Amino acid sequence: MSIYIDENTRVLVQGITGKQGSFHTGQMLNYGTKIVGGVSPGKGGQEVEGVPVYNSTFEALENQEAEASILFMPAPFAKDAAMEALDAGLKLLVLIPESIPLHDAMEIMAYAKQKSAVIVGPNTFGLVSSGSSKIGIMPNRYFIPGPVGVVSRSGTLCYEIVGHLTDSGIGTTTVVGLGGDRVVGLHFIDVLKKFEEDHDTRAVIMVGEIGGSAEEEAAAHVAAHMSKPVIAYLAGKSAPPGKRMGHAGAIIERGRGTFESKVEALNGAGVKVADLPTRISSLVQSVL
Amino acid sequence: MKLYEYLGKELFNRYDIPVPRSRLVENAGQAGEAAAELGDVVIKSQVLTGKRGKAGGIAFASNPEEAKKEASRIFDMSFSGFAAEKLLVEEKIEIEQELYLAFTIDGSARCPVVLASLSGGMDVEEVPEERMIRWPVDVSIGLQPYMIREICRLMGVSGDLQKEFLKFMPKLDRMFKELDAELAEINPLALTPNGLVAADAKVTIDDDALYRHQELPRISEKTALERKAEELDLAYVELEGDIAVMANGAGITMATLDMVQHYGGEPANFLDFGGGADVEKTSQSLELLLGTDPRVLLINIFGGITRCDVVAEAFVRVKQSQGIELPVSFRLIGTNEEEGRAILEKEGIKTFNSMDEAVRHAVELSA
């Protein structure tokens, strides 16, 4: 089993004719993702990697059935595309673009809530249910089926950790990228709830970082509601306060969101925090 | 992007939010002239670092001579390494009570939040939690009058002051939205005999939305090197150590710095050259790092969108064009790793598969 997506999830690619969109359409098809159509205003009638292209999400849905969409376009156009997908009735949106203005992101989240839709990202690598489907840009070969659920705020660091697991012979159920921005759709708690309910997931890895209070909120949830073991890694221990470390969220401001407060909260909830990303797989082995 | 107080107040003025009368001055003589015009004044250094008051960057003066003296003292000061280029000379207003009001973005609630308190004037961190009212504003309906009345009720405010807030808050809300602000903070918000007046202004604009605000000036707190990195569209932060670090992705770059420290080394910087960079951009990143004259160079690449052969090619290009004399620890795996390794091996450069080994090697080289 898996969470959010499986081999039956039908996916649209918005921005499919762009460089990123077309490349990752090919990668997703290779992985086994059921991509039923692409959207690119003004380019309807073309094909990309054998996938039919439509002028709008509405037009795509007149011709195909789909539940989910992945968005590739420059940040200034992301709000319009996301609103269109939500209005057309899609229930799961993966927002790949980085640098979407915060006020745009907040409007997208508010409309998604009204439509009971799930937003992954923005500024995410997407999500993958190992061995069955991926809606994202992660490298295919590290995501093999197994018993561990992974939820992460950062991309490459997550690949690093999943790569280690794979090398140790441990696969994953679903791997979810929350996104590096300050306002994102899915939070740790949403994904932890799903993993707790998923029969195949026997342990969960949380990859967090400094900034914000998402890890502290997750810790309180784990303490109260999680029966499955949770292992964490947090990036940014050495980061000085007031300096934004790449991700919009990764900044220690006014003494909030420090590494120490997160570790304390997680340890207090019974979550083991690995001191190096390379030590996660042995911690996971010890709880499986 | 943080705005100086005077710029924040110019924007307040544009949105009809009351601010004290003032003059912006660039030397002590002008401060004296401003005081002659305004009477009793407050002289405030225009710097972006907080706590300028405690540092002595704010002074009162009751005549032009005094204003000149205080201004020249403040011009000579340094605030976390930054000197004030301008001072704001403001009329001293009659304050009955100091309040606090801010609009900011709550990542947990995914919406704006109003922060309001009757305990203003002090460091906001020192305000007890129960005296700071937090009201998330549902984006689908926006700020409504009932929310303002509710915030007032929770603060224990009624009557004339509530009426003041009902006029004041929608203006700040409009500005916050229209200018794509991340923060619009007024501390203290002064209650005067003429109503509420913004005695300070702390406004931060969302960097990612600046493209649609050409009317705003561009302000940078960055060092010269960080500004150069910004022009190249790199996420770069200067640190204190001697091991230059380059990696692809913010999380993995942070984790690499943490690991350097874990093994006893000190990173010289944070440099995330992003996903999917081409040879040109990767070469520029390398050249930027080499220009900082570090003792050791640590490159940690886990290729996803980023291709290992592109990184290798960029490295060889820089090595051939300007020479790379310092010791290098190079980790290279992921997309096109065989091709990348082959390119480097031709130049006699070995790579690591494991991040752990590469970091430990870099720390040994720096010792």
Side-chain angles (χ1 to χ4, degrees):
Chain A
M1 249 179 69
S2 54
I3 62 172
Y4 295 113
I5 61 170
D6 59 26
E7 62 278 9
N8 299 317
T9 308
R10 292 163 297 187
V11 184
L12 295 181
V13 178
Q14 290 176 261
I16 193 170
T17 52
K19 200 172 143 205
Q20 295 266 354
S22 57
F23 175 75
H24 286 290
T25 297
Q27 295 290 307
M28 286 187 278
L29 287 168
N30 284 343
Y31 195 78
T33 308
K34 222 178 232 179
I35 296 179
V36 297
V39 175
S40 195
K43 304 214 169 137
Q46 300 182 9
E47 274 194 3
V48 172
E49 302 279 341
V51 173
V53 179
Y54 301 97
N55 285 312
S56 75
T57 318
F58 288 93
E59 192 192 9
L61 290 176
E62 283 167 15
N63 294 280
Q64 307 286 344
E65 286 181 43
E67 296 81 33
S69 179
I70 179 167
L71 287 78
F72 294 97
M73 67 273 305
F77 309 108
K79 182 177 108 177
D80 184 37
M83 295 307 205
E84 179 191 327
L86 292 168
D87 196 5
L90 292 164
K91 291 298 171 201
L92 177 75
L93 264 53
V94 176
L95 302 186
I96 300 296
E98 51 185 318
S99 303
I100 294 181
L102 282 165
H103 284 263
D104 287 3
M106 291 190 294
E107 285 181 46
I108 295 170
M109 301 314 158
Y111 191 44
K113 194 176 169 190
Q114 214 174 307
K115 292 281 186 181
S116 306
V118 170
I119 306 279
V120 186
N123 193 10
T124 174
F125 61 83
L127 75 172
V128 47
S129 286
S130 297
S132 54
S133 180
K134 77 161 193 178
I135 308 182
I137 59 172
M138 60 295 270
N140 289 357
R141 65 171 171 162
Y142 300 103
F143 298 87
I144 57 163
V148 181
V150 183
V151 52
S152 174
R153 268 170 84 179
S154 47
T156 311
L157 178 57
C158 184
Y159 309 162
E160 173 83 38
I161 287 165
V162 173
H164 248 268
L165 279 185
T166 310
D167 290 344
S168 326
I170 305 171
T172 44
T173 48
T174 299
V175 179
V176 182
L178 301 177
D181 286 359
R182 248 173 90 187
V183 173
V184 292
L186 282 185
H187 288 182
F188 280 120
I189 294 180
D190 304 305
V191 183
L192 289 172
K193 279 181 190 162
K194 293 273 188 186
F195 279 137
E196 178 71 13
E197 290 164 10
D198 177 45
H199 294 301
D200 290 341
T201 300
R202 283 159 49 206
V204 180
I205 298 172
M206 267 177 66
V207 184
E209 62 191 32
I210 52 160
S213 56
E215 289 79 7
E216 286 87 338
E217 287 154 20
H221 176 81
V222 170
H225 303 291
M226 289 286 289
S227 64
K228 295 177 183 178
V230 180
I231 312 283
Y233 175 75
L234 299 171
K237 185 181 184 182
S238 61
K243 294 275 187 183
R244 180 170 288 189
M245 293 304 209
H247 281 164
I251 179 169
I252 298 168
E253 273 179 313
R254 302 164 162 210
R256 279 199 302 255
T258 64
F259 180 84
E260 289 73 21
S261 90
K262 291 176 190 296
V263 170
E264 195 187 312
L266 288 165
N267 282 336
V271 175
K272 283 186 190 152
V273 182
D275 53 0
L276 294 175
T278 44
R279 290 187 186 160
I280 289 184
S281 49
S282 60
L283 282 178
V284 170
Q285 255 151 354
S286 72
V287 300
L288 282 178
Chain B
M1 179 180 74
K2 286 185 195 163
L3 299 182
Y4 293 107
E5 177 193 4
Y6 74 90
L7 284 170
K9 284 182 169 167
E10 278 177 25
L11 295 174
F12 283 176
N13 207 16
R14 207 186 292 168
Y15 282 85
D16 198 26
I17 294 168
V19 293
R21 288 191 304 147
S22 67
R23 291 285 171 272
L24 187 65
V25 306
E26 291 177 6
N27 57 54
Q30 289 176 350
E33 290 162 24
E37 188 189 330
L38 297 168
D40 279 4
V41 291
V42 192
I43 302 164
K44 301 162 98 177
S45 57
Q46 296 300 293
V47 287
L48 296 171
T49 46
K51 310 204 192 318
R52 62 182 171 166
K54 279 184 195 151
I58 296 177
F60 294 90
S62 48
N63 59 61
E65 269 319 297
E66 214 182 327
K68 255 163 85 173
K69 210 180 91 204
E70 289 295 341
S72 83
R73 178 184 65 77
I74 295 173
F75 273 124
D76 285 339
M77 290 179 64
S78 166
F79 303 87
S80 312
F82 290 91
E85 287 172 14
K86 296 185 169 95
L87 307 183
L88 188 64
V89 181
E90 278 186 344
E91 64 170 333
K92 194 177 165 206
I93 52 175
E94 195 184 321
I95 299 180
E96 292 168 357
Q97 197 180 348
E98 292 191 326
L99 318 173
Y100 176 95
L101 179 65
F103 278 67
T104 185
I105 289 170
D106 183 344
S108 306
R110 307 173 184 89
C111 67
V113 60
V114 180
L115 300 172
S117 177
L118 292 179
S119 307
M122 58 166 109
D123 187 352
V124 64
E125 288 294 289
E126 290 161 23
V127 178
E129 194 120 323
E130 68 277 8
R131 294 190 55 85
M132 181 62 77
I133 308 307
R134 302 175 57 91
W135 193 277
V137 180
D138 187 333
V139 178
S140 58
I141 55 173
L143 184 76
Q144 299 292 324
Y146 80 83
M147 297 177 186
I148 301 170
R149 290 195 303 271
E150 205 50 25
I151 292 165
C152 285
R153 184 180 69 83
L154 293 167
M155 279 197 292
V157 164
S158 58
D160 286 349
L161 186 50
Q162 178 179 302
K163 278 188 202 138
E164 275 290 304
F165 271 116
L166 281 163
K167 277 193 301 187
F168 195 96
M169 273 195 215
K171 295 175 188 169
L172 192 60
D173 174 60
R174 212 181 101 214
M175 181 187 123
F176 181 74
K177 269 198 308 235
E178 286 183 1
L179 296 181
D180 274 296
E182 283 185 56
L183 174 73
E185 182 184 59
I186 305 172
N187 186 26
L189 172 62
L191 179 59
T192 72
N194 302 318
L196 291 171
V197 175
D200 193 12
K202 222 175 245 162
V203 178
T204 307
I205 306 295
D206 179 6
D207 289 336
D208 290 333
L210 282 175
Y211 72 90
R212 54 191 180 199
H213 296 287
Q214 296 307 321
E215 78 280 13
L216 295 174
R218 298 295 185 261
I219 297 159
S220 180
E221 288 176 87
K222 297 185 160 89
T223 63
L225 213 56
E226 286 170 346
R227 272 205 295 276
K228 193 178 161 202
E230 193 174 33
E231 283 164 22
L232 299 173
D233 196 24
L234 305 169
Y236 177 81
V237 178
E238 265 180 275
L239 300 168
E240 308 278 306
D242 52 10
I243 302 175
V245 178
M246 178 169 152
N248 59 323
I252 192 84
T253 310
M254 271 191 279
T256 309
L257 304 185
D258 296 347
M259 201 183 254
V260 166
Q261 269 202 348
H262 181 88
Y263 287 121
E266 281 302 329
N269 66 279
F270 169 101
L271 172 59
D272 164 20
F273 68 106
D278 58 10
V279 174
E280 189 60 35
K281 188 173 169 189
T282 313
S283 305
Q284 286 169 338
S285 309
L286 265 169
E287 283 162 4
L288 181 106
L289 278 189
L290 293 171
T292 65
D293 205 17
R295 186 179 289 184
V296 177
L297 176 60
L298 167 61
I299 304 176
N300 181 17
I301 307 301
F302 193 119
I305 291 192
T306 302
R307 283 164 42 191
C308 292
D309 55 328
V310 168
V311 179
E313 207 178 300
F315 187 86
V316 171
R317 187 199 275 192
V318 174
K319 190 171 195 293
Q320 286 171 351
S321 69
Q322 66 171 76
I324 295 180
E325 304 298 330
L326 80 171
V328 179
S329 184
F330 208 140
R331 187 273 184 121
L332 191 68
I333 67 159
T335 310
N336 293 4
E337 61 183 57
E338 290 81 9
E339 293 89 331
R341 242 176 261 141
I343 293 169
L344 291 173
E345 265 159 26
K346 259 190 240 157
E347 298 292 317
I349 301 154
K350 277 191 291 189
T351 57
F352 293 96
N353 282 332
S354 129
M355 168 173 172
D356 203 88
E357 282 173 46
V359 172
R360 272 187 290 173
H361 185 60
V363 173
E364 278 162 23
L365 290 171
S366 77

